[in-house]
Amino acid sequence: MSAEQQALQHLNEIFKDIKETLQEVQKNKRDARQLTEQEEAVLKNIVGKIKQVRSNLNDYLKSFRVQTRLDEFN
């Protein structure tokens, strides 16, 4: 799977988690100020996936960089 496809997959998972979390908050509006342990775990999961997306996008963008000098090998 390419870095671009992995990034898209992670973004889709993030949006799904956000949607589910917001639906749960909407159901329980009176306790919306305090997060449960499960909600905190979901938010940590989202942050982790965002970091994976950033990493995959960086890898994808680096694949388009071209060597411009003979002594430049990165």
Side-chain angles (χ1 to χ4, degrees), residues 13-41:
E13 291 173 10
I14 290 168
F15 294 141
K16 179 184 171 208
D17 288 342
I18 291 171
K19 180 180 176 182
E20 289 173 357
T21 302
L22 290 175
Q23 287 173 342
E24 278 296 315
V25 169
Q26 188 177 14
K27 289 179 187 176
N28 303 320
K29 281 188 179 178
R30 57 192 157 111
D31 294 329
R33 289 186 176 244
Q34 294 183 3
L35 296 176
T36 64
E37 290 179 17
Q38 182 182 9
E39 289 169 336
E40 285 184 30

